[in-house]
Amino acid sequence: MNPCELTASITALANSMACRLSLDELSLWGTVFTQLGDTLITIATQKAICQRARQSEEL
């Protein structure tokens, strides 16, 4: 999937959810997905730091 297809799919999912969920449910899912994204970025950053540290030790 290319970046344009990915963002179009995400937008379609958001619009579909917005048509079916209450305002409270939308707020909750928005918060859930924000936390998920933040957590994934934290994990990716930690992995990158650990990988660079291991590479430095190998030199």
Side-chain angles (χ1 to χ4, degrees):
M1 182 179 296
N2 71 43
C4 291
E5 292 169 336
L6 178 61
T7 57
S9 297
I10 292 168
T11 299
L13 175 61
N15 287 329
S16 177
M17 291 176 73
C19 291
R20 291 170 174 77
L21 300 177
S22 70
L23 183 56
D24 285 342
E25 291 169 327
L26 281 173
S27 295
L28 175 61
W29 281 111
T31 303
V32 166
F33 288 127
T34 297
Q35 182 176 353
L36 174 63
D38 290 345
T39 302
L40 289 172
I41 291 170
T42 301
I43 291 167
T45 302
Q46 182 65 24
K47 283 184 171 187
I49 291 168
C50 291
Q51 184 177 29
R52 283 195 297 270
R54 282 192 300 274
Q55 289 172 345
S56 294
E57 291 172 358
E58 292 173 358
L59 298 177

